[in-house]
Amino acid sequence: MSVTEAPAPPTHSGAEPEHEGGLPAASLVDGVRFVVGGLLPTLVRGLFSPRRRATRWLTAVNADRRAVRMMSGIRRKHGGQGVRLLGGRMAVVWGPDAIREVLDRSADVYASDSGAKGKGMSHFQPDALTLSRGEEWRDRRAFTESVLATQERLHPFAARFVTVAADEVGRLRSDGALDWPRWERMFDHLTLRVVFGDRARDDHELTELLEKLMGEANRIVGLSDSDDYHELHAMLERHLVDPEPGSLVARFAAAPQTDRTRVVHQIPHWIFATRDTLGANAYRALAAIVADPAVERRVRDELDGADLADPSAVDALRYLEGCLEEAMRLWPTTPLLARETTRETTLAGERLGEGTQVMILNPFNHRDAERVPDADRLVAERWADGRRDYRFNHLSNGTQDCPGGPLVLLLGKAVIARVLERHALELEHPQLTAGEPLPHMLDFFRIRFRTEARR
Ligand code: HEM
C-alpha cells in the first residue's frame, strides 16, 4: 500500500513531559508491570489462535483497559517516545516518531521472526514472510505483494471475490439469530474459495488442521515436529497442481519467485488472516455499526443504490470502510508488534544493543485518550483522507505492513454490506449503548444478533 505520512499527532491536553524525545530507563517495577499487564495478556489470549475461555476471562477483568492505565502511568512518570525496561533488554515505544523508526526499518534492523512469535509460528509456517528478514524477506514480500496485488486498491480478481462474498452471505443460515459459529463457518467457506477456488469450498479438513496446529503453537514451548504439519503442507501442495482460475493460487505462476520463496509456506498466513482475523474484525465492525442507529443509518444511506456486484462500488463505500478501520483500531486483533534489533542501532536518539526486544502495544496506542481524540468512540471520518498514522497499527505500517490490506477492506466491506442488505439486525449480546464510549474489549466469540430478513 502506498505510504503517505500523517501530520504530527495533536499533543495531549495535559502538561507536556519534560523531554519529548528519548527512551528513558524505567525502574524494575515498571518493567514487571509491563510484562504482567502488557505482555502476559497477549500470551494468555493465545498468540496465534484466540482461546475462547481466556478471551472471556480477559474481557471480564477488562485487561486492555488495565493495560492502557498502566502504560499511561509509566509515560506520565518518564515522558519520552517510550522507555527502556529490564536493564535495556527491552524497549516499549509509543511516540509516533519512534514507532515510525522501528516499522520503517522492519525486517532489516528490526526483525519480527524471533521470540515467542518465531517459536510458535515455526510450528505451522517456518518459512513464512512474517518470519523472514533481509534478502529472504524481500524475495517473499515481492511474491506475496504480486499475488495479493498489494499496490492496487482493487485486486484483479475483485469482481469474483465480491461475488463469492455475496453468495456466502446468501447461504448464511439465519433463523432469526446470527452467532459466531455461523459467521466463522461462512468465513471458512469464503476463505477457501478466495484462496483456492470454488471447488475447495468444503475443504474444512485443511482449515481444521491449520487451526489445530495454531492452537498447539499457542503453547510456544515443547512444540515438536508433527505429522499434522506434513499433512497440512501436502494438502496445500495438492491445491497447487491445477489452480482454479480466479483464485489466489492461480496467480502463483506469474508472480516473481526463486527457490527461497517457499511459496507453499506463504499460504497458511493468508488462510488464517482471512478466515480468523478478518472474520473477527468484520463481525465486531457489524456489531459496532448495528449498536448505534446513527452509524447504521449512515452506512445504510451509503449502501442505498450501490451496485454491490461491482467491485468499484464496494471500493467506494468509504464510510463503511471507516467503520471497519475503526473496529480494527478499537479492538486490535494483533495487540502487540514485537521486534528484535538485528544489530546495534539508535532509536529516538538512544543506543540500543543487538538483540533488544522492541514492543509496540496497540491497545494502548489506539486507545490513548490523552493523545487520540475520541479514542473510545467510533469515528469513521478519522480514515476519510486515506493517510497512514503510525500510532494505529492494526494493519501495521512501514516495510512489513499487512500486504493483505486492500483485500481486507474489499472483502470486509463486501460481506458487511451484503449482510446489511439482506437482514435487519439487532445486537443481542453484548449490550452497547449508542453514544457511550465503547468498551476496551469486545469478545467476538460471544457477539450475537437477532436478525430478520429484509426481503
Ligand atoms: C482484518 C484482517 C487483518 C489484519 C487485522 C491484519 C493485520 C496484520 C498485521 C498487524 C501485520 C503485521 C504483523 C507483525 O508485524 O507482527 C500483518 C502482516 C501480514 N499480513 Fe495481515 N492482517 C489481516 C489480513 C490479512 C490477509 C487477508 C492477508 C492475506 C491474504 C494478510 C497477510 C499478511 C502477511 C503475509 C503479513 C506479513 C507481512 C510481512 O512480514 O512483510 N493479512 N497483518
Side-chain angles (χ1 to χ4, degrees):
M1 289 171 89
S2 67
V3 179
T4 43
E5 300 194 355
T11 51
H12 59 88
S13 48
E16 288 295 323
E18 303 258 2
H19 33 265
E20 261 304 288
L23 295 177
S27 65
L28 178 63
V29 172
D30 284 337
V32 172
R33 287 170 71 205
F34 175 72
V35 170
V36 173
L39 297 189
L40 210 55
T42 69
L43 292 177
V44 171
R45 189 178 339 216
L47 267 188
F48 311 106
S49 178
R51 298 181 173 111
R52 192 179 282 261
R53 277 174 55 198
T55 303
R56 188 172 181 162
W57 179 74
L58 289 165
T59 306
V61 301
N62 218 345
D64 284 357
R65 172 133 187 251
R66 286 168 190 260
V68 172
R69 286 200 176 146
M70 176 269 300
M71 291 297 298
S72 301
I74 293 179
R75 183 178 58 200
R76 211 165 295 130
K77 202 150 64 168
H78 301 281
Q81 293 270 319
V83 283
R84 276 171 296 140
L85 301 167
L86 308 176
R89 282 189 290 278
M90 188 183 280
V92 51
V93 292
W94 51 71
D97 295 337
I99 294 175
R100 182 189 295 271
E101 273 191 70
V102 174
L103 295 182
D104 283 357
R105 297 194 293 161
S106 199
D108 177 20
V109 179
Y110 295 93
S112 80
D113 55 4
S114 60
K117 176 182 167 188
K119 280 199 190 78
M121 271 199 177
S122 294
H123 189 56
F124 56 96
Q125 48 171 26
D127 290 323
L129 174 67
T130 191
L131 296 186
S132 313
R133 58 170 91 171
E135 251 334 293
E136 271 181 352
W137 175 80
R138 271 187 287 282
D139 179 299
R140 292 167 185 168
R141 179 82 190 192
F143 168 78
T144 303
E145 288 206 5
S146 170
V147 174
L148 301 180
T150 306
Q151 303 301 333
E152 322 279 330
R153 261 200 79 90
L154 277 181
H155 193 278
F157 300 157
R160 177 174 170 267
F161 295 162
V162 297
T163 306
V164 169
D167 184 52
E168 289 302 336
V169 172
R171 296 183 193 216
L172 193 60
R173 216 166 33 82
S174 165
D175 41 15
L178 176 58
D179 58 11
W180 174 251
R182 289 173 215 217
W183 188 266
E184 188 185 34
R185 184 52 45 145
M186 173 177 72
F187 263 85
D188 197 54
H189 291 304
L190 178 125
T191 301
L192 288 162
R193 292 175 73 180
V194 165
V195 177
F196 303 113
D198 293 343
R199 61 174 185 245
R201 180 175 189 269
D202 294 314
D203 199 353
H204 305 301
E205 225 185 304
L206 191 157
T207 43
E208 277 162 20
L209 199 52
L210 176 58
E211 206 179 352
K212 180 172 177 229
L213 286 162
M214 290 173 66
E216 289 165 7
N218 278 347
R219 286 204 316 263
I220 298 159
V221 287
L223 296 169
S224 57
D225 200 16
S226 74
D227 289 346
D228 289 341
Y229 167 84
H230 296 289
E231 176 59 23
L232 174 74
H233 281 253
M235 282 178 176
L236 295 172
E237 302 233 7
R238 282 200 287 277
H239 279 294
L240 300 188
V241 175
D242 175 24
E244 192 174 305
S247 65
L248 290 181
V249 293
R251 289 177 60 79
F252 278 27
Q257 59 204 278
T258 67
D259 45 0
R260 57 179 167 185
T261 312
R262 308 296 307 273
V263 298
V264 175
H265 284 248
Q266 310 316 320
I267 307 174
H269 195 136
W270 310 345
I271 297 176
F272 74 72
T274 309
R275 178 188 185 269
D276 307 328
T277 319
L278 177 56
N281 280 294
Y283 199 46
R284 283 185 178 137
L286 185 64
I289 290 167
V290 169
D292 189 328
V295 174
E296 181 173 353
R297 207 170 313 119
R298 285 204 51 189
V299 173
R300 288 197 181 277
D301 284 350
E302 193 177 58
L303 294 180
D304 225 14
D307 175 7
L308 297 179
D310 175 2
S312 312
V314 176
D315 180 44
L317 300 171
R318 294 304 162 92
Y319 184 79
L320 176 56
E321 184 170 311
C323 293
L324 179 56
E325 291 272 13
E326 280 292 84
M328 294 193 280
R329 176 188 68 82
L330 287 158
W331 302 288
T333 34
T334 310
L336 184 75
L337 297 182
R339 298 289 186 268
E340 185 179 305
T341 53
T342 57
R343 49 184 179 268
E344 190 180 305
T345 187
T346 56
L347 174 59
E350 304 282 351
R351 195 194 70 81
L352 295 186
E354 182 182 337
T356 306
Q357 305 295 317
V358 180
M359 308 286 166
I360 298 168
L361 194 64
N362 286 338
F364 171 56
N365 298 331
H366 293 192
R367 294 287 198 121
D368 180 2
E370 292 170 26
R371 303 203 175 183
V372 177
D374 291 322
D376 296 332
R377 292 178 192 277
L378 186 153
V379 184
E381 295 79 1
R382 214 187 294 272
W383 301 91
D385 64 11
R387 286 201 283 186
R388 290 297 188 93
D389 185 328
Y390 274 64
R391 290 172 301 175
F392 304 140
N393 288 298
H394 45 276
L395 291 171
S396 195
N397 278 295
T399 44
Q400 244 182 319
D401 69 346
C402 177
L407 212 50
V408 164
L409 299 181
L410 179 80
L411 290 172
K413 286 191 293 181
V415 168
I416 298 169
R418 288 295 188 177
V419 172
L420 289 169
E421 181 189 54
R422 297 180 68 97
H423 304 276
L425 295 111
E426 200 184 312
L427 185 62
E428 196 175 68
H429 183 88
Q431 305 266 307
L432 298 179
T433 311
E436 289 296 309
L438 286 158
H440 279 73
M441 311 199 66
L442 189 57
D443 179 351
F444 59 86
F445 291 118
R446 302 187 71 216
I447 295 174
R448 220 174 37 247
F449 300 90
R450 263 191 293 275
T451 65
E452 207 175 296
R454 288 188 75 221
R455 52 174 145 89

